[in-house]
Amino acid sequence: MSADRTDTRRTPVVPLRAGAGPENPPCPACGEPLFGWLPRRPWLRGPVRVCASCGLGVVGEPDRPEAVLRELDRVRGEHGSAIANRAGFAASLGGPGWAALGPGARYLFTLESVRRLVARRDQVVRWRRSLSGSIVLTWQTLLNSVTFGHNVAFAALRWGEFAAAERPWQRRIDVLASVVLAVPALALALAIELAAAPFGRGAVIMVRTELL
């Protein structure tokens, strides 16, 4: 081979759809395969899969797009839909300890997955912003990293769903850790959310959609 001959070989690009199969069902938002993200936890209804294209997370087996849109509509208020953001810094840091992965978790939205879903009914995302509730969700996510149970502080404040630790001594440690670390975790959560908000990576975002 001559020294000046250009090597045109390239690494083959494998499309996401090549990974489709029984273990990787199609994403309800965009149709690309869902891949494993987290194994099943005792308080969850199944393993957690995510879409590598739009970022939607699904706990258990996915439903049809219409059912996912109904779930999105369920959290719609006067100003739009408030969603826990799977693309947020809190979700990336927390992993299985992300506070949004409570016992009732089903669909874990991202802004892009919302765009893909609402496009099915001729809508577009016109506006979005991070919410002050992001700090609370991030705060609980940080506390989950030091407790045996899940969302223990939320349980004490009677906010949302939680999963208590199995053993009494674990539950006592969880209460103590949540009390002692509450203020430091809140300060860190505030710093994280201040950094996340300008990039649309807040833990909770408000999304408003309109017809085309």
Side-chain angles (χ1 to χ4, degrees):
M1 179 181 296
S2 63
D4 61 350
R5 181 175 178 181
T6 302
D7 188 350
T8 58
R9 289 176 299 177
R10 296 288 185 272
T11 301
V13 177
V14 179
L16 288 174
R17 291 184 184 273
E23 295 299 316
N24 303 316
C27 171
C30 68
E32 297 289 355
L34 295 168
F35 297 99
W37 183 43
L38 298 172
R40 182 169 187 166
R41 293 296 190 269
W43 63 88
L44 295 177
R45 65 183 73 190
V48 185
R49 300 183 180 98
V50 298
C51 177
S53 180
C54 71
L56 180 72
V58 180
V59 182
E61 297 301 317
D63 290 320
R64 295 177 62 83
E66 293 77 11
V68 188
L69 279 165
R70 286 196 295 271
E71 178 65 18
L72 186 62
D73 290 339
R74 189 181 65 81
V75 295
R76 179 183 295 169
E78 180 181 354
H79 302 291
S81 297
I83 60 173
N85 183 15
R86 205 197 68 79
F89 284 177
S92 299
L93 291 170
W98 183 31
L101 279 172
R106 186 71 177 99
Y107 293 103
L108 314 168
F109 296 101
T110 64
L111 183 60
E112 182 59 28
S113 65
V114 172
R115 285 194 180 109
R116 304 279 186 97
L117 281 164
V118 300
R120 294 174 176 272
R121 54 188 183 192
D122 297 324
Q123 290 181 321
V124 293
V125 174
R126 293 294 189 194
W127 177 85
R128 60 96 176 145
R129 68 179 175 88
S130 295
L131 297 181
S132 57
S134 292
I135 297 172
V136 176
L137 196 69
T138 302
W139 172 69
Q140 178 62 86
T141 298
L142 293 172
L143 291 176
N144 283 344
S145 67
V146 296
T147 59
F148 294 97
H150 190 81
N151 291 359
V152 175
F154 279 3
L157 297 170
R158 299 188 179 183
W159 293 346
E161 298 176 303
F162 73 99
E166 293 182 1
R167 302 179 183 279
W169 66 268
Q170 292 175 326
R171 293 195 287 271
R172 289 193 292 270
I173 289 177
D174 284 357
V175 172
L176 178 62
S178 296
V179 171
V180 171
L181 297 175
V183 174
L186 183 60
L188 183 55
L190 177 60
I192 290 172
E193 287 305 312
L194 286 175
F199 302 98
R201 301 287 299 277
V204 181
I205 56 176
M206 178 73 78
V207 178
R208 180 182 296 169
T209 60
E210 296 178 1
L211 287 170
L212 286 170

